[in-house]
């Protein structure tokens, strides 16, 4: 029954959901009109705010591009392919593929949401080897699996709250840092992790499309796909000149590559020994880069791998600035603060966690970055919570602030299931060689979104924070 509902929702998404770029344009217009009518910004003020924000995500966009292509290049190595071949000895049915991909993706994302790329790579390779896998549904499973990142080691909001001299302390909104025992280590977050890691794989099993609608990757792939192309080693060898040359010896030098790998590995050890388990985007990219170099062994093989890995990233390159422009309108016209203040104004002692959760979900459409969103709505929500809890002991106030902050994070993450911003991490890898758009995938996420929205709303309100 639930699977049939999911299929019908998917049909509606295919019919009515436009391309991801058109979605960004429509969202731009909606936010612009909101700024004009809600905060009385003039059209020229909105346009200026849009332009001022347009390039704010350039660094982030470049990080996303690098995390995609460095992660994908690792998967193209012979070593990883042999490992996935071994894995398929144990994962032999589509049902096992879906369950495994969601669960392992949730666990990966607890480390860093950049590891979504690894999940995408693994899922694609499993789809090549296991018959009967519904590929658009599998992409939806991968995208869903990133939801646990806000509960894990790279979650930006709790890490910010635990950072000395953060902007909330500098603005006297907070008096001191909030330890991660109040946020990531809280009972609420542990229950939420259990829900996502165990509950969502089971949920997606219940939503598997009927057998007659299966769209296998091997069938969807175009004729010039990786099924027929040369291996990386073969292409690298074909580049060589017919006669022996210094340039080819350098291109195929294992020693040159080994020196760079050794330098990189030395820094990685230094980074983690001095900073602890600090898994920021930059170190993740660097780690992926060095690992890829090690696995491909020679410079020319890595060049070929990176060329293949970067062949489908145009969506990230030109769409991220539009989302940055939307974020600029929210930030520079005051629309984001106004929305947070509106929701906070109706919150009570019993309902503030839900309104914080709802705020995180709504504002995420315009500011699809947890840290950026929290910079806009966090101060207003925290001030409202402090006012609601006036007179309570400090540890109880801290618990309320932590609950509200984590609720924002959970809402922000879950609402990604309704918009294709972070799907742009997955599509360049999983849609290589096939004609698949966001509308083919996101319909499968509506039922999980609705069920998780209901369950998470109850958890953020009723589960103790400590």
């Amino acid at each position: 029954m639930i699977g049939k509902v999911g299929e019908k929702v998917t049909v509606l998404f295919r019919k009515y959901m436009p391309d991801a770029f058109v979605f960004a344009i429509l969202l731009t217009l909606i936010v612009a009109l909101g700024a004009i009518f809600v905060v009385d910004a003039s059209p020229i003020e909105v346009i200026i705010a849009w332009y001022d924000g347009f390039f704010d995500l350039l660094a982030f966009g470049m990080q996303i591009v690098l995390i995609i292509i460095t992660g994908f290049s690792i998967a193209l190595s012979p070593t990883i392919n042999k490992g996935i071949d071994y894995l398929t000895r144990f994962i032999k049915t589509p049902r096992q593929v879906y369950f495994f991909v969601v669960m392992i993706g949730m666990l990966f994302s607890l480390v860093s949401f950049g590891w979504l790329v690894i999940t995408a790579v693994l899922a694609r390779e499993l789809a090549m080897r296991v018959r009967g896998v519904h590929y658009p549904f599998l992409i939806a499973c991968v995208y869903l699996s990133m939801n646990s990142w806000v509960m894990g080691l790279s979650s930006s909001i709790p890490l910010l709250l635990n950072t000395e001299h953060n902007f909330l302390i500098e603005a006297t909104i907070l008096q001191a840092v909030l330890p991660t025992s109040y946020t990531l280590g809280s009972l609420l977050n542990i229950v939420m992790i259990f829900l996502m890691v165990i509950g969502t794989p089971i949920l997606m099993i219940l939503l598997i499309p009927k057998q007659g609608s299966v769209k296998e990757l091997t069938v969807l792939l175009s004729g010039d796909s990786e099924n027929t192309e040369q291996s990386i080693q073969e292409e690298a060898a074909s580049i060589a000149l017919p006669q022996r040359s210094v340039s080819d010896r350098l291109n195929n030098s294992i020693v040159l590559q080994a020196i760079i790998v050794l330098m990189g590995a030395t820094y990685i050890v230094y980074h983690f020994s001095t900073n602890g388990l600090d898994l920021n985007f930059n170190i993740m990219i660097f780690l992926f880069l060095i690992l890829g170099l090690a696995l491909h062994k020679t410079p020319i093989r890595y060049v070929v791998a990176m060329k293949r890995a970067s062949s489908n990233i145009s969506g990230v390159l030109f769409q991220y600035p539009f989302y940055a422009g939307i974020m600029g309108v929210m930030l520079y016209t005051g629309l984001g603060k106004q929305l947070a203040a509106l929701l906070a104004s109706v919150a009570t002692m019993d309902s503030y966690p839900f309104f914080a959760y709802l705020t995180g979900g709504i504002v995420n459409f315009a500011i699809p970055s947890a840290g950026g969103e929290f910079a806009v709505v966090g101060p207003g929500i925290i001030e409202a919570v402090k006012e609601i809890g006036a007179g309570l002991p400090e540890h109880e106030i801290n618990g309320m602030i932590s609950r509200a902050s984590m609720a924002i994070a959970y809402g922000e993450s879950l609402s990604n299931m309704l918009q294709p911003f972070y799907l742009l991490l997955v599509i360049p890898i999983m849609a290589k060689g096939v004609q698949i758009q966001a509308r083919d995938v996101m319909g499968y996420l509506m039922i999980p979104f609705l069920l998780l929205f209901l369950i998470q709303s109850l958890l953020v309100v009723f589960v103790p924070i400590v």
Side-chain angles (χ1 to χ4, degrees):
M1 176 63 183
I2 192 171
K4 291 181 179 179
V5 174
E7 276 288 303
K8 291 180 179 179
V9 171
T10 302
V11 171
L12 291 176
F13 263 77
R14 290 199 190 105
K15 185 175 182 180
Y16 292 107
M17 184 176 180
D19 183 82
F21 179 50
V22 178
F23 186 92
I25 292 175
L26 293 174
L27 192 56
T28 299
L29 298 177
I30 291 170
V31 172
L33 291 173
I36 291 171
F37 292 107
V38 175
V39 296
D40 295 325
S42 67
I44 189 61
E45 287 175 332
V46 171
I47 292 172
I48 291 171
W50 178 61
Y51 175 81
D52 287 344
F54 207 78
F55 303 102
D56 283 355
L57 288 181
L58 279 183
F60 180 62
M62 188 61 176
Q63 287 175 319
I64 293 296
V65 167
L66 287 172
I67 205 88
I68 290 170
I69 63 177
T70 54
F72 197 1
S73 69
I74 290 172
L76 296 175
S77 68
T79 302
I80 297 301
N81 274 281
K82 288 178 183 177
I84 294 174
D85 284 337
Y86 178 78
L87 189 61
T88 53
R89 296 182 186 179
F90 308 98
I91 301 177
K92 299 180 178 180
T93 68
R95 186 179 295 266
Q96 291 172 344
V97 170
Y98 305 136
F99 187 91
F100 176 77
V101 164
V102 178
M103 177 173 282
I104 199 68
M106 288 285 176
L107 293 173
F108 281 164
S109 293
L110 285 172
V111 179
S112 169
F113 91 82
W115 284 27
L116 178 67
V117 171
I118 301 177
T119 308
V121 164
L122 177 61
R124 181 182 174 94
E125 294 303 317
L126 286 173
M128 290 291 295
R129 292 161 171 79
V130 178
R131 293 182 59 84
V133 171
H134 190 293
Y135 198 58
F137 181 73
L138 181 63
I139 297 176
C141 289
V142 172
Y143 192 42
L144 176 66
S145 74
M146 74 170 284
N147 261 279
S148 63
W149 85 271
V150 296
M151 306 157 200
L153 300 176
S154 65
S155 184
S156 51
I157 293 176
L159 295 181
L160 168 73
L161 294 173
N162 193 38
T163 300
E164 296 286 350
H165 308 298
N166 64 64
F167 76 90
L168 294 168
I169 294 175
E170 295 291 337
T172 68
I173 295 170
L174 290 179
Q175 301 304 311
V177 298
L178 290 179
T180 52
S181 58
Y182 276 92
T183 51
L184 297 180
S186 67
L187 177 61
L188 170 61
N189 198 54
I190 292 170
V191 171
M192 200 69 75
I193 289 172
F194 183 83
L195 166 68
M196 302 307 289
V197 174
I198 304 299
T200 52
I202 296 173
L203 173 60
M204 294 309 281
I205 292 297
L206 298 176
L207 286 168
I208 295 175
K210 57 187 178 185
Q211 195 65 28
S213 65
V214 167
K215 301 174 182 178
E216 293 188 35
L217 174 58
T218 51
V219 175
L220 294 172
L221 282 167
S222 57
D224 60 349
S225 69
E226 63 255 51
N227 283 335
T228 58
E229 69 183 357
Q230 295 175 304
S231 70
I232 288 175
Q233 294 93 323
E234 290 170 341
E235 183 174 344
S238 71
I239 296 172
L241 295 171
Q243 69 276 9
R244 297 180 67 178
S245 65
V246 173
S247 59
D248 284 333
R249 291 185 66 181
L250 292 173
N251 288 344
N252 292 281
S253 172
I254 294 177
V255 174
L256 277 179
Q257 192 118 313
I259 292 171
I260 298 300
V261 169
L262 181 61
M263 291 171 60
T266 301
Y267 179 78
I268 291 168
V269 171
Y270 167 79
H271 172 85
F272 289 116
S273 63
T274 56
N275 298 292
L277 197 61
D278 177 20
L279 288 165
N280 59 62
F281 249 142
N282 291 339
I283 194 62
M284 288 299 304
I285 292 167
F286 191 71
L287 195 154
F288 283 4
L289 178 69
I290 297 302
L291 181 57
L293 287 168
L295 290 172
H296 286 287
K297 297 182 180 178
T298 71
I300 196 63
R301 290 183 189 177
Y302 194 62
V303 167
V304 173
M306 289 294 275
K307 181 182 70 175
R308 295 186 183 186
S310 60
S311 63
N312 198 27
I313 58 170
S314 61
V316 175
L317 293 175
F318 79 92
Q319 289 185 45
Y320 271 40
F322 280 87
Y323 280 99
I326 295 167
M327 186 172 75
V329 175
M330 291 287 287
L331 283 171
Y332 303 131
T333 65
L335 180 60
K337 291 182 179 179
Q338 186 79 8
L339 179 59
L342 175 65
L343 291 171
S345 67
V346 296
T348 65
M349 179 65 79
D350 295 324
S351 66
Y352 78 85
F354 173 75
F355 280 108
Y357 179 71
L358 193 62
T359 301
I362 293 173
V363 177
N364 178 57
F365 282 95
I367 308 178
S369 163
E373 178 180 343
F374 194 69
V376 175
V377 305
I381 295 292
I382 291 174
E383 291 288 9
V385 167
K386 287 163 62 179
E387 184 176 335
I388 292 169
L392 293 176
E394 182 180 353
H395 73 278
E396 291 190 29
I397 297 290
N398 288 340
M400 292 173 65
I401 292 172
S402 300
R403 182 189 295 276
S405 300
M406 292 305 294
I408 293 172
Y410 300 143
E412 184 273 340
S413 180
L414 186 64
S415 66
N416 284 320
M417 299 303 98
L418 299 184
Q419 67 134 310
F421 180 78
Y422 286 108
L423 189 59
L424 294 175
L425 274 80
V426 177
I427 290 294
I429 295 171
M430 299 197 71
K432 185 176 184 292
V434 300
Q435 295 296 319
I436 286 181
Q437 300 180 26
R439 65 185 179 185
D440 302 312
V441 174
M442 298 193 69
Y444 296 111
L445 297 168
M446 178 58 74
I447 301 299
F449 169 81
L450 292 174
L451 292 176
L452 289 172
F453 177 82
L454 176 62
I455 296 170
Q456 288 187 347
S457 296
L458 294 173
L459 293 180
V460 297
V461 172
F462 294 111
V463 175
I465 195 75
V466 290

